Amino acid sequence: MTRSATPATPAHCAVTCAIATCALALACKKQTPADRGPDLQVVSEALRLRDGDPLPKTSPFYDGERIRLVAARGETIAFQVVTRTFADSSLIIKANGVSVRRWATLALQAKRASTSMYGATLGTGWYRDRLEPTDSLDDEAIRLLETKGTLFELVVARDADVGMFTGNVIVDQKWIPLDLTIVDVTLPPIPPRVWAYYDPRELEWAKLGTGSIEAPSEQEKRCIAMFRDYGVVLSVDMTPAAYPARKELLGDFPYVPVRLPKNVSAVAADVRAWIDATKGTGKLPFAIPIDEPRTPDARAKVKELATVVRAAGGGPSTFLYAVTAEPHPDFADLVDLYITLKPRRTDTLPRWTYNGAPPRAGSMVLDTVSPGTRTWGWIGYRYNIPVWYVWDALYWNDRHNRKGAPLPGREFGVYDAISFDDGEDRGNLDGVLALPGDTTMPCRPTLRLAAIHRGMQDRQLIELAAQCKPDETDKLVAQMVPRALGDIPGRTVAGDGSPSWPTDDAAWESARQKLLEIAGRCVTPR
């Protein structure tokens, strides 16, 4: 027998109707839409935006009606015009000594977040980082890129006119007035303070030219020149046989990266050859034969090789034996150069630093917190770092984590930007500051490379300001970067804690303009 439904009593109806009314009220209540930010914004080259995130509400360059920029002579001032939907952007300006480069900013996917070794991550998503030159493309080709961002680089010559110049940024059919003020401060050429290692086989594996350690290809030379344009020395570690073909590619870099033989018995002869080849040239060879020696056996190997180098004539003025580690009693006094993640401002030993991860230094991975590598210039000044070592710059194949598979190893891609994955640590574009291009432009720059350039220009401005007002300049730098590198508490590891420096464009642009103002006080009136 089927039980019939119980008729609703008035009390039952009252409860049911109340629940239904509440449900309907919640369903019909107008939800507050998520704040998506403006449809268009202007940001620095150090900000990597993730598709779908709101654009910043404010900009230090754009007030919603006009773009205002300030630059020194000899400075490259760059900014991104970003939109929520596809939009072609161009720039028109008339100013003697100013040239414009235009790049589309294209996205790569962080399918998996970088691990904590690289510092804080913003998580998965599509991040705008690759720079595609658009000056040679027609309108249809630009449309096919479906870009939501354009990077403009205004290259100001050292003999450019001082004053304010006007132009326009055109986004689709919207004309935005632009003011460029060139102040009477001249930025000298950037000293080579960033060395980026790479393996030339990466270009061959990417079918971008075939060369060798002794004979770099034309495509390889183009990559080196492109990096130099961004203030970075791109160089392999060399053998004595490779030096004649590569020494000019080092430019003004005062050091020569060296690859010592694996056979210990051959090391002394190579060291003597390097000392002879560089004597009186202003170049100082250095080698890092053992990376991050953490065990007693590894440290014993460091000491063994360092003893051979010293006996062959090596030393602080002839051939630097370097190690990527902190000083240790096991090394005695045989290490000439420490390349460490934790230099302190009070250090007396010569030391470089390398890569970086917040809160010690800005990280170079794709999904890190801005301003990332821009911080290197400021930290380098405050901690007196002569060279920032980058491993690697063209790590397009994960050759170190092949697990027995043949070379070249797993290749990163647009849809999964993990370039290094050892099973424990993984990084999106770790070791990748430029992306594979074509034979005419084999290495495509990235926003992270442009951010290094911005930071190195900042360091030049800091040094100019310090010549004028050292105390005021040092106070400003300390306000921007109170602590970094080895002055972060010893127990802190990458990924723990927030960095001491600001993460917004406004603070960095305000500090940069303050440096221009300080430096300008000591300019002799014309």
Side-chain angles (χ1 to χ4, degrees), residues 249-277:
L249 300 177
L250 289 171
D252 296 332
F253 192 50
Y255 302 97
V256 182
V258 166
R259 180 192 305 176
L260 288 177
K262 292 183 179 180
N263 187 342
V264 177
S265 63
V267 167
D270 265 30
V271 170
R272 287 191 288 268
W274 277 113
I275 293 173
D276 290 341

Side-chain angles (χ1 to χ4, degrees), residues 103-126:
W103 309 81
T105 58
L106 306 182
L108 298 95
Q109 185 180 25
K111 191 175 182 179
R112 299 165 288 165
S114 298
T115 50
S116 61
M117 182 178 78
Y118 302 95
T121 174
L122 296 175
T124 59
W126 287 84

Side-chain angles (χ1 to χ4, degrees), residues 8 73 89 116 133 157 177 211 230 233 235 243 254 273 275 309 356 382 453 471:
R73 293 182 302 170
S89 301
S116 61
Y230 283 92
V233 178
S235 177
Y243 188 52
I275 293 173
V309 170
R382 186 146 202 256
H453 187 226
D471 293 342

